[in-house]
Amino acid sequence: MRILGISVLAFWLSWGGAVLAGPVTEREGWVVMPTDMPFDVLVTAVKAATKSNGMGVVTEAGPTAMAASRGFSIPGNRVIGVFNNDFAVRVLATSTAAMIEAPIRFYVTESPDGRGTLSYKTPSHVFAPYLDEGGDELSELAATLDQRFATIAKAAVMSSH
């Protein structure tokens, strides 16, 4: 029984450490945009910018509310999956396997002071493993999506200025 208790404590401590992890930082293939916007305002701005740029919010998930219902307080954290049917059909024409990457996600995180950060993997980075199969057409499509995601991100973070 003591071993079980120690194992549970070790798991809880390791999980608790993940809750206190630091902010998202620059890494290969990512765009990271810290803002002065409150987390909730940035989430709303990303959704509005997505719609106004011809894309749709396909999925949305975040652990914050569920964690709170379990007694854990964690900063705001939202993953927003963005795509549209036109791009889906075009991706599938180049590589069936590449479609597993859709929707491509924006990631909104909250800093301790309540400000939001917008992050995302560029579509060209996301689709890179499929370029041997999808060829130039998939590469060009990914570049088009890079521009669309950059436009959405810029519109979202500039919406309060």
Side-chain angles (χ1 to χ4, degrees), residues 78-94:
R78 187 74 52 89
V79 177
I80 303 168
V82 172
F83 223 62
N84 73 20
N85 187 259
D86 178 57
F87 284 113
V89 169
R90 292 167 63 194
V91 168
L92 283 168
T94 69

Side-chain angles (χ1 to χ4, degrees), residues 19-79:
V19 172
L20 301 175
V24 175
T25 58
E26 292 284 341
R27 57 195 72 212
E28 183 180 350
W30 283 59
V31 174
V32 179
M33 303 170 78
T35 74
D36 290 328
M37 299 170 75
F39 168 80
D40 290 334
V41 172
L42 183 55
V43 168
T44 300
V46 170
K47 292 179 194 179
T50 295
K51 184 176 180 181
S52 69
N53 282 282
M55 301 292 278
V57 173
V58 179
T59 60
E60 188 173 342
T64 309
M66 183 59 74
S69 74
R70 296 178 48 234
F72 293 95
S73 178
I74 61 173
N77 188 294
R78 187 74 52 89
V79 177

Side-chain angles (χ1 to χ4, degrees), residues 4-29:
L4 177 62
I6 292 171
S7 297
V8 169
L9 177 61
F11 173 78
W12 184 82
L13 289 173
S14 67
W15 190 80
V19 172
L20 301 175
V24 175
T25 58
E26 292 284 341
R27 57 195 72 212
E28 183 180 350

